[in-house]
Amino acid sequence: MRIALFATCLADAMFPAAAIATVRLLERLGHQVAFPAGQTCCGQMHVNTGYLREAVPLVRNHVDVFSGFDAVVAPSGSCVGSARHQHAMVARRAGDTDLAARAESVAAQTFELSEFLVDVLGVDDVGAYYPHRVTYHPTCHSLRMLGVGDKPLRLLRNVRGLTLVELPQAESCCGFGGTFALKNADVSTAMLADKMSNIATTGAEVCTAGDSSCLMHIGGGLSRAGSDVRTVHLAEILAATP
C-alpha cells in the first residue's frame, strides 16, 4: 500500500518525533510511505476562527498534494478531523463543486494513525516494546469527531512491557482546544488543572495521546508543576522496539 504521511504543522515545526515514528511504524509493517513536500497547513485554524475564504487555497493545496495515494495517514485526530469534516464544506461555501468533490475523495482515504492500523490494516499488535506505566488521554477530535473509540487502547494493551492504567474522567477535555486556550485562558487553565490532577492519581510515568497539540498543553502544565510525568505521542510508543 502506498501511503502518504500527513505530518501536520505542529509535528513538522515542534514535534517531529511523532511524524518520524509514524513512518518508522508503517514501514516496519511493510508499507511504502511518502512525504509529499508540498504539504502545508490544512487550514483548520482558519476555519475554526471563521476565515473560510482564506482557508480555500489551503484546502486546494491539500487536495492537490494528497490526491492519488492509497491512504493518507496523520499522527493527529485533530487535523484528520479537519480534512474529513471541514474541507469539502469550505469548498462548497466557496462555490467550487469540483474542489468539494476532490476534497471528499481525499478525505475518504485520510486516517488518524490508530484507526488506520486497526480498521484498515486489521492490526492491533504492532510488535512494540515499551516498559513503562502509561495512561492514555483520548483527545476531543479523535474521540468526538472521528470516533476512534478504544482503538488506541487496543493497540496499547498489546505493547510488550507496557502497564496501561486507566485515566479518571478520561473523556474530559484537557483545555487546549486550539485558539480556545488563547481566548479563554482562565477556563483552559482550570480544565488543565483537573486533567493533571487525574493523571497524578494514576501513578503513570507517561501520559500518551494521539495529538501533539494536547500533549503540548498537558506537558507544559506538568512541567510547570514540577511533575515527573512525561508526555509521549502514541506513535512513538507504537514504534518503540527492544
Side-chain angles (χ1 to χ4, degrees):
M1 182 178 292
R2 189 164 180 261
I3 302 167
L5 172 68
F6 172 20
T8 79
C9 296
L10 204 58
D12 182 59
M14 299 179 67
F15 301 101
I20 293 169
T22 300
V23 174
R24 185 184 302 122
L25 174 60
L26 294 174
E27 289 183 340
R28 190 173 78 212
L29 293 174
H31 300 280
Q32 178 186 356
V33 183
F35 176 76
Q39 61 183 288
T40 61
C41 174
C42 66
Q44 178 187 177
M45 182 173 65
H46 303 69
V47 178
N48 290 350
T49 333
Y51 293 98
L52 300 188
R53 183 176 61 185
E54 288 78 3
V56 173
L58 296 171
V59 171
R60 182 174 292 110
N61 180 76
H62 184 92
V63 169
D64 289 342
V65 165
F66 288 108
S67 292
F69 289 93
D70 298 320
V72 180
V73 178
S76 168
S78 178
C79 294
V80 169
S82 178
R84 282 214 205 138
H85 297 282
Q86 294 180 338
H87 282 189
M89 176 272 292
V90 168
R92 284 193 293 270
R93 289 282 187 91
D96 193 331
T97 55
D98 176 66
L99 178 60
R102 294 175 62 218
E104 288 177 346
S105 178
V106 171
Q109 300 299 319
T110 302
F111 304 92
E112 180 269 341
L113 177 61
S114 71
E115 64 175 353
F116 181 72
L117 293 170
V118 175
D119 290 345
V120 180
L121 299 185
V123 173
D124 58 15
D125 186 343
V126 297
Y129 174 76
Y130 195 76
H132 298 285
R133 185 176 175 87
V134 177
T135 194
Y136 170 71
H137 164 64
T139 67
C140 290
H141 282 92
S142 64
L143 182 69
R144 297 175 174 88
M145 186 174 281
L146 298 182
V148 301
D150 69 344
K151 296 176 184 67
L153 294 171
R154 288 166 60 182
L155 290 159
L156 288 168
R157 290 187 187 111
N158 284 311
V159 175
R160 277 76 172 165
L162 187 148
T163 301
L164 183 63
V165 288
E166 184 177 353
L167 177 63
Q169 300 180 48
E171 296 186 0
S172 295
C173 177
C174 70
F176 179 63
T179 55
F180 173 86
L182 300 175
K183 295 177 179 178
N184 303 277
D186 291 342
V187 176
S188 173
T189 300
M191 295 170 75
L192 175 60
D194 288 343
K195 181 62 64 175
M196 291 192 299
S197 176
N198 286 324
I199 291 171
T201 67
T202 67
E205 303 168 68
V206 172
C207 175
T208 191
D211 274 280
S212 293
S213 52
C214 297
L215 290 174
M216 175 179 66
H217 188 58
I218 294 170
L222 291 170
S223 176
R224 289 189 296 276
S227 172
D228 292 330
V229 181
R230 296 178 290 118
T231 51
V232 179
H233 194 284
L234 175 67
E236 295 175 70
I237 293 177
L238 298 180
T241 54

